[in-house]
Amino acid sequence: MQRIYFDNSATTCLDPKVLEAMRPYFDQWYGNASSLHALGRESYNALDEARRKTAKAIGAQAREIIFTSGGTESDNLAIQGAAFANSSKGNHIITSTIEHHAVLNTCRFLEGQGFKVTYLAVDPHGKVDPESLKKAMTKSTILVSIMTANNEIGTIQDVRELGGIAHDAGALFHTDAVQSIGKVPLDVTRENIDLLAMSAHKFHGPKGVGALFVRKGTNLRPVVYGGGQERGLRSSTENVPGIVGLGKAIELSMAEMTESVEKMTSIRDRIIQGTLSSVDDCNLNGPLEGRLCNNANFRFDYIEGEALVLSLDLKGIAASTGSACSSRDSETSHVLKAIGVRNEHARGTLRVSLSRMNAMDEADEFLGVIPEVIARLRAISPMSMLKKPSSPGG
Ligand code: PLP
């Protein structure tokens, strides 16, 4: 069976060119980047090159890039690091209710350490209102952390404006850009960003490696202590093959960004329009405009998202119920709750997430099976009893 992979917000496949670039650093150039001999120097140079490529992709300088183990660690280093390093200036942090748990749970941890956190509500499309950020800023606000784009419903925030508001009040601005690399053009200076988190496996790089942009002069305390690698901000022997993979993956994503955004947008739009027009009692979660080019998130009444994902899997289509990390627990998604979706409607959610590797005929195959799968699930669903009988003639 030819499989269709529509779960790219959970993770992406490794680009074969990335694997090729990484391979010599497993078996040939295995030196520790801190060693003085030739093997060590080769590793050091490879890190240097990956750092330059990563910096270039976001308009930063190479020395402003700190390599980490992924998006979660980058978010932790940004938020904990900025909070503890700046606690003499204030103890207030602002974030939003729809952040990834890497941000939300870090903020909750900091609340236990005496910090005060404001969780900004979002509108029904998942947007943070800049006015509400302005109102929430206080003299003791040291950090604002708002994601560039949401991993479940794809809403893109106006980070430039939000970052400007944080800066006007003397606070640092962090953005979780894990879902945005290669999809949303980002320049850290234009966008008023001091800290930016990314993760290689979301853009056809390897799992377990990420980066944090730390603007020069930003006060940050490490989370991991040890040998002082990564300018003392992230001790531990560098994952050289992984970092080389991140560098290659971001270089490829940037080189192909214009065409791949165009391609993903047209596949996404075909999927959204085709699904909404062929299935009754179906709604789109998140906005039509200002949404990630690779994200479609639907709500199908009277069915369970898990049953839908498993039925699609049997047809060779991999998608997910919501975010990757919440799809194995049955809690209603905090993002859907935040945009006002009622519990009974949040149950039948399906996230379709694309990458530049997808093709338009895969959208057509999906559209060919979705009405029939939904109809079959509704026919056996006790929730269908809730459906109001349609009026005669209607
Ligand atoms: N932030 C966002 C928005 C994400 O979507 C994810 C992963 O799904 C993360 C952070 C965590 O990234 P990682 O899996 O690399 O730790």
Side-chain angles (χ1 to χ4, degrees), residues 9-10 70-73 75 100 102 147 149 151 176 178-179 199 201-202:
S9 291
T72 302
E73 190 189 329
D75 282 332
H100 189 272
M147 67 203 317
N151 47 305
D176 173 337
V178 168
Q179 294 290 344
S199 178
H201 73 103
K202 307 290 186 178

Side-chain angles (χ1 to χ4, degrees), residues 9-11 69-75 98-103 147-152 176-180 197-202 206-210 323-325 351:
S9 291
T11 197
S69 67
T72 302
E73 190 189 329
S74 295
D75 282 332
I98 63 163
E99 298 296 310
H100 189 272
H101 283 113
V103 168
M147 67 203 317
T148 312
N150 185 263
N151 47 305
E152 291 188 41
D176 173 337
V178 168
Q179 294 290 344
S180 305
M198 66 171 83
S199 178
H201 73 103
K202 307 290 186 178
K207 293 169 184 60
V209 56
S323 72
C325 54
R351 180 183 68 181

Side-chain angles (χ1 to χ4, degrees), residues 221-260:
R221 204 182 90 171
V223 173
V224 176
Y225 291 90
Q229 289 90 342
E230 298 297 298
R231 294 200 290 111
L233 283 173
R234 206 284 183 167
S235 289
S236 183
T237 302
E238 292 90 346
N239 168 7
V240 179
I243 292 169
V244 167
L246 186 154
K248 185 70 183 172
I250 204 162
E251 182 183 41
L252 291 170
S253 295
M254 292 302 133
E256 297 173 22
M257 181 142 137
T258 310
E259 305 88 77
S260 47

Side-chain angles (χ1 to χ4, degrees), residues 72-86:
T72 302
E73 190 189 329
S74 295
D75 282 332
N76 270 267
L77 177 56
I79 298 169
Q80 288 193 51
F84 288 123
N86 295 285

Side-chain angles (χ1 to χ4, degrees), residues 98 122-128 147-158 180 285-287 289-292 295 335 339:
I98 63 163
V122 293
D123 76 9
H125 293 311
K127 275 278 257 205
V128 172
M147 67 203 317
T148 312
N150 185 263
N151 47 305
E152 291 188 41
I153 58 171
T155 310
I156 300 174
Q157 305 294 342
D158 192 344
S180 305
N285 293 316
E289 300 286 323
R291 152 179 225 123
L292 277 176
N295 173 293
V335 176
I339 61 169

